[in-house]
Amino acid sequence: GENVEQHPSTLSVQEGDSAVIKCTYSDSASNYFPWYKQELGKGPQLIIDIRSNVGEKKDQRIAVTLNKTAKHFSLHITETQPEDSAVYFCAASMKTDKLIFGTGTRLQVFP
Amino acid sequence: DTAVSQTPKYLVTQMGNDKSIKCEQNLGHDTMYWYKQDSKKFLKIMFSYNNKELIINETVPNRFSPKSPDKAHLNLHINSLELGDSAVYFCASSLGLGGDTGELFFGEGSRLTVL
Protein backbone atom coordinates (compact mmCIF):
# COMPACT_ATOMS: atom_id res chain seq x y z
CA GLY A 1 0.00 0.00 0.00
CA GLU A 2 0.93 3.67 0.00
CA ASN A 3 2.52 4.24 3.33
CA VAL A 4 5.10 6.56 4.88
CA GLU A 5 6.09 5.92 8.48
CA GLN A 6 7.76 8.65 10.50
CA HIS A 7 9.60 8.51 13.86
CA PRO A 8 9.69 9.83 16.46
CA SER A 9 6.31 11.49 16.90
CA THR A 10 7.78 13.97 19.40
CA LEU A 11 11.37 15.08 19.90
CA SER A 12 12.73 17.43 22.54
CA VAL A 13 16.29 18.75 22.30
CA GLN A 14 18.40 21.41 23.95
CA GLU A 15 19.33 24.41 21.88
CA GLY A 16 22.54 23.72 20.00
CA ASP A 17 22.01 19.95 19.89
CA SER A 18 21.21 17.98 16.74
CA ALA A 19 17.83 16.52 15.84
CA VAL A 20 17.18 13.55 13.57
CA ILE A 21 13.83 12.46 12.16
CA LYS A 22 13.49 9.20 10.22
CA CYS A 23 11.02 7.99 7.62
CA THR A 24 10.43 4.78 5.73
CA TYR A 25 8.32 4.34 2.63
CA SER A 26 6.63 1.39 0.99
CA ASP A 27 6.58 2.12 -2.77
CA SER A 28 9.86 1.15 -4.46
CA ALA A 29 8.89 3.45 -7.37
CA SER A 30 9.02 6.53 -5.10
CA ASN A 31 11.55 9.01 -6.46
CA TYR A 32 10.92 12.31 -4.67
CA PHE A 33 11.22 12.93 -0.93
CA PRO A 34 10.43 16.39 0.43
CA TRP A 35 10.40 17.61 4.01
CA TYR A 36 7.92 20.19 5.22
CA LYS A 37 7.90 22.36 8.35
CA GLN A 38 4.60 23.43 9.85
CA GLU A 39 4.59 26.25 12.37
CA LEU A 40 1.63 26.82 14.67
CA GLY A 41 -1.39 28.12 12.82
CA LYS A 42 0.30 27.98 9.42
CA GLY A 43 0.37 25.70 6.43
CA PRO A 44 3.33 23.33 5.84
CA GLN A 45 6.34 24.84 4.03
CA LEU A 46 8.97 22.99 2.08
CA ILE A 47 12.40 23.14 3.74
CA ILE A 48 14.41 20.64 1.73
CA ASP A 49 13.83 17.85 -0.76
CA ILE A 50 15.82 15.06 -2.36
CA ARG A 51 15.40 12.94 -5.46
CA SER A 52 16.25 9.30 -5.78
CA ASN A 53 19.37 9.84 -7.87
CA VAL A 54 21.07 11.57 -4.91
CA GLY A 55 22.10 10.08 -1.58
CA GLU A 56 22.49 13.23 0.45
CA LYS A 57 21.66 16.93 0.23
CA LYS A 58 22.60 19.75 2.57
CA ASP A 59 21.34 23.29 3.02
CA GLN A 60 23.06 25.17 5.84
CA ARG A 61 21.98 23.48 9.11
CA ILE A 62 19.61 21.06 7.41
CA ALA A 63 20.54 17.85 5.62
CA VAL A 64 18.60 14.95 4.20
CA THR A 65 19.93 11.44 3.52
CA LEU A 66 18.33 8.75 1.40
CA ASN A 67 18.91 5.00 1.42
CA LYS A 68 16.93 3.64 -1.55
CA THR A 69 17.79 0.02 -0.85
CA ALA A 70 16.37 0.17 2.65
CA LYS A 71 13.64 2.68 1.66
CA HIS A 72 14.71 5.03 4.45
CA PHE A 73 15.29 8.75 4.46
CA SER A 74 16.16 11.09 7.29
CA LEU A 75 16.22 14.77 8.18
CA HIS A 76 19.15 16.09 10.19
CA ILE A 77 19.07 19.50 11.84
CA THR A 78 22.31 20.65 13.45
CA GLU A 79 22.84 23.47 15.96
CA THR A 80 19.12 23.62 16.68
CA GLN A 81 17.54 26.94 17.63
CA PRO A 82 14.22 27.68 19.37
CA GLU A 83 12.78 28.85 16.03
CA ASP A 84 13.27 25.30 14.71
CA SER A 85 10.40 24.26 17.01
CA ALA A 86 7.56 23.09 14.75
CA VAL A 87 5.92 19.97 13.33
CA TYR A 88 8.00 18.33 10.59
CA PHE A 89 6.55 16.10 7.89
CA CYS A 90 8.37 13.81 5.52
CA ALA A 91 6.67 12.79 2.29
CA ALA A 92 7.23 10.44 -0.62
CA SER A 93 5.92 10.43 -4.16
CA MET A 94 3.94 7.38 -5.21
CA LYS A 95 3.52 5.76 -8.63
CA THR A 96 -0.16 6.76 -8.39
CA ASP A 97 0.99 10.40 -8.77
CA LYS A 98 0.25 11.21 -5.15
CA LEU A 99 2.50 12.71 -2.52
CA ILE A 100 1.94 10.81 0.72
CA PHE A 101 2.90 12.47 3.99
CA GLY A 102 4.33 10.87 7.10
CA THR A 103 2.57 11.19 10.44
CA GLY A 104 4.59 14.21 11.60
CA THR A 105 7.19 14.90 14.30
CA ARG A 106 6.69 17.63 16.85
CA LEU A 107 10.14 19.10 17.54
CA GLN A 108 10.67 21.24 20.62
CA VAL A 109 13.95 23.07 21.07
CA PHE A 110 14.51 24.31 24.61
CA PRO A 111 16.72 27.37 25.18
CA ASP B 1 0.70 39.13 -2.13
CA THR B 2 -0.36 35.83 -0.59
CA ALA B 3 0.47 32.94 -2.94
CA VAL B 4 -2.30 30.54 -1.86
CA SER B 5 -5.18 32.11 0.01
CA GLN B 6 -8.17 30.33 1.43
CA THR B 7 -11.29 31.62 3.14
CA PRO B 8 -12.66 31.46 5.70
CA LYS B 9 -9.84 30.85 8.19
CA TYR B 10 -12.29 29.67 10.83
CA LEU B 11 -15.70 28.10 10.39
CA VAL B 12 -17.98 26.95 13.21
CA THR B 13 -21.25 25.34 12.25
CA GLN B 14 -23.93 22.88 13.30
CA MET B 15 -24.22 19.26 12.20
CA GLY B 16 -26.29 18.86 9.08
CA ASN B 17 -25.40 22.27 7.61
CA ASP B 18 -23.74 22.83 4.23
CA LYS B 19 -20.60 24.96 4.00
CA SER B 20 -17.98 26.01 1.46
CA ILE B 21 -14.30 26.86 1.64
CA LYS B 22 -12.71 28.88 -1.15
CA CYS B 23 -9.15 28.79 -2.40
CA GLU B 24 -7.25 30.93 -4.86
CA GLN B 25 -3.62 30.83 -6.00
CA ASN B 26 -1.76 33.60 -7.83
CA LEU B 27 1.33 31.53 -8.69
CA GLY B 28 0.20 30.51 -12.15
CA HIS B 29 0.27 26.86 -11.12
CA ASP B 30 -1.61 24.19 -13.05
CA THR B 31 -2.44 21.86 -10.17
CA MET B 32 -4.39 22.48 -6.98
CA TYR B 33 -5.19 20.22 -4.04
CA TRP B 34 -7.29 19.85 -0.94
CA TYR B 35 -5.69 18.19 2.09
CA LYS B 36 -7.36 17.36 5.41
CA GLN B 37 -5.40 17.58 8.67
CA ASP B 38 -7.07 15.92 11.63
CA SER B 39 -6.54 16.53 15.34
CA LYS B 40 -3.50 14.22 15.36
CA LYS B 41 -1.92 16.37 12.64
CA PHE B 42 -2.16 13.65 9.95
CA LEU B 43 -2.17 15.24 6.49
CA LYS B 44 -4.25 13.34 3.95
CA ILE B 45 -4.88 14.23 0.34
CA MET B 46 -8.53 14.51 -0.63
CA PHE B 47 -8.57 15.85 -4.19
CA SER B 48 -6.32 17.23 -6.86
CA TYR B 49 -7.21 19.19 -9.98
CA ASN B 50 -5.06 19.92 -12.99
CA ASN B 51 -6.25 22.71 -15.29
CA LYS B 52 -9.79 22.37 -13.91
CA GLU B 53 -9.83 18.59 -14.42
CA LEU B 54 -10.24 16.22 -11.44
CA ILE B 55 -7.16 14.01 -11.18
CA ILE B 56 -7.14 12.52 -7.68
CA ASN B 57 -10.28 11.69 -5.77
CA GLU B 58 -9.43 9.80 -2.61
CA THR B 59 -11.98 7.74 -0.71
CA VAL B 60 -13.78 10.83 0.47
CA PRO B 61 -17.56 10.76 1.17
CA ASN B 62 -19.53 12.22 -1.72
CA ARG B 63 -20.80 14.89 0.67
CA PHE B 64 -17.51 16.58 -0.28
CA SER B 65 -17.62 18.17 -3.71
CA PRO B 66 -14.71 20.15 -5.10
CA LYS B 67 -15.22 22.67 -7.88
CA SER B 68 -12.60 24.36 -10.01
CA PRO B 69 -14.07 27.21 -12.08
CA ASP B 70 -10.60 28.00 -13.47
CA LYS B 71 -7.07 26.80 -12.78
CA ALA B 72 -6.47 29.52 -10.18
CA HIS B 73 -9.43 28.54 -8.01
CA LEU B 74 -10.44 25.36 -6.21
CA ASN B 75 -13.39 25.44 -3.86
CA LEU B 76 -14.62 22.75 -1.49
CA HIS B 77 -18.29 22.34 -0.70
CA ILE B 78 -19.38 20.05 2.11
CA ASN B 79 -22.99 18.90 2.49
CA SER B 80 -24.68 17.55 5.61
CA LEU B 81 -21.73 18.23 7.89
CA GLU B 82 -20.87 15.60 10.50
CA LEU B 83 -18.86 15.82 13.72
CA GLY B 84 -16.05 13.83 12.11
CA ASP B 85 -15.60 16.52 9.46
CA SER B 86 -14.05 18.79 12.09
CA ALA B 87 -10.46 19.35 10.94
CA VAL B 88 -8.17 21.86 9.31
CA TYR B 89 -8.52 21.86 5.54
CA PHE B 90 -5.52 22.97 3.51
CA CYS B 91 -5.52 24.08 -0.07
CA ALA B 92 -2.24 23.72 -1.97
CA SER B 93 -0.89 24.23 -5.46
CA SER B 94 2.04 23.00 -7.53
CA LEU B 95 3.49 23.86 -10.90
CA GLY B 96 3.00 20.46 -12.47
CA LEU B 97 1.10 17.25 -12.00
CA GLY B 98 2.32 14.21 -10.11
CA GLY B 99 3.70 13.41 -6.71
CA ASP B 100 7.26 14.17 -7.84
CA THR B 101 6.43 17.48 -9.47
CA GLY B 102 8.19 19.59 -6.85
CA GLU B 103 7.15 22.00 -4.16
CA LEU B 104 3.62 22.19 -2.87
CA PHE B 105 2.59 25.66 -1.77
CA PHE B 106 0.04 25.50 1.05
CA GLY B 107 -2.51 28.03 2.19
CA GLU B 108 -2.84 28.87 5.87
CA GLY B 109 -5.67 26.44 6.43
CA SER B 110 -9.37 26.65 7.24
CA ARG B 111 -10.31 25.28 10.66
CA LEU B 112 -13.75 23.71 10.49
CA THR B 113 -15.54 22.92 13.75
CA VAL B 114 -18.81 21.02 13.58
CA LEU B 115 -20.93 21.16 16.75
Side-chain angles (χ1 to χ4, degrees):
Chain A
E2 298 175 333
N3 193 34
V4 178
E5 291 186 6
Q6 182 172 346
H7 300 282
S9 55
T10 59
L11 180 58
S12 296
V13 299
Q14 206 73 35
E15 183 177 359
D17 286 351
S18 295
V20 180
I21 303 170
K22 298 183 179 185
C23 288
T24 59
Y25 59 98
S26 56
D27 186 350
S28 55
S30 295
N31 62 359
Y32 176 63
F33 309 92
W35 286 88
Y36 284 79
K37 176 184 181 182
Q38 185 178 19
E39 295 176 344
L40 198 61
K42 305 259 181 188
Q45 265 197 302
L46 180 73
I47 54 171
I48 195 167
D49 56 11
I50 192 168
R51 292 191 181 267
S52 57
N53 56 348
V54 174
E56 185 173 353
K57 185 175 176 181
K58 197 172 177 182
D59 182 4
Q60 297 180 16
R61 296 186 297 108
I62 292 172
V64 57
T65 58
L66 171 64
N67 182 330
K68 276 209 76 178
T69 306
K71 293 189 209 159
H72 288 171
F73 59 115
S74 301
L75 177 72
H76 304 252
I77 307 174
T78 57
E79 299 169 38
T80 52
Q81 299 165 4
E83 50 266 38
D84 293 331
S85 297
V87 179
Y88 291 80
F89 291 95
C90 63
S93 64
M94 301 288 154
K95 59 177 176 280
T96 51
D97 275 348
K98 284 180 240 172
L99 189 67
I100 301 296
F101 284 83
T103 46
T105 296
R106 184 177 297 279
L107 172 66
Q108 284 186 297
V109 181
F110 292 99
Chain B
D1 267 340
T2 308
V4 180
S5 58
Q6 47 184 115
T7 54
K9 195 169 169 71
Y10 299 98
L11 193 48
V12 181
T13 190
Q14 300 284 335
M15 264 195 319
N17 283 350
D18 304 338
K19 289 293 175 189
S20 293
I21 307 171
K22 295 186 175 185
C23 180
E24 176 181 3
Q25 54 97 0
N26 62 5
L27 297 166
H29 287 168
D30 286 340
T31 310
M32 294 185 73
Y33 310 79
W34 279 110
Y35 279 83
K36 180 180 178 181
Q37 186 170 48
D38 62 22
S39 57
K40 292 184 179 176
K41 297 289 188 185
F42 297 158
L43 260 175
K44 290 223 163 136
I45 188 165
M46 300 172 71
F47 303 102
S48 77
Y49 270 74
N50 179 259
N51 273 319
K52 304 192 295 175
E53 183 186 341
L54 180 65
I55 302 297
I56 292 173
N57 184 349
E58 282 296 272
T59 46
V60 175
N62 57 15
R63 298 181 295 102
F64 289 79
S65 51
K67 279 196 173 55
S68 182
D70 56 60
K71 73 173 195 176
H73 294 84
L74 180 62
N75 303 323
L76 183 66
H77 188 77
I78 316 169
N79 287 330
S80 306
L81 279 156
E82 299 177 359
L83 292 177
D85 297 333
S86 295
V88 181
Y89 292 85
F90 284 99
C91 177
S93 72
S94 65
L95 189 59
L97 178 64
D100 61 353
T101 195
E103 184 172 0
L104 288 181
F105 290 80
F106 283 87
E108 299 226 316
S110 296
R111 181 177 293 276
L112 171 65
T113 304
V114 182
L115 303 174

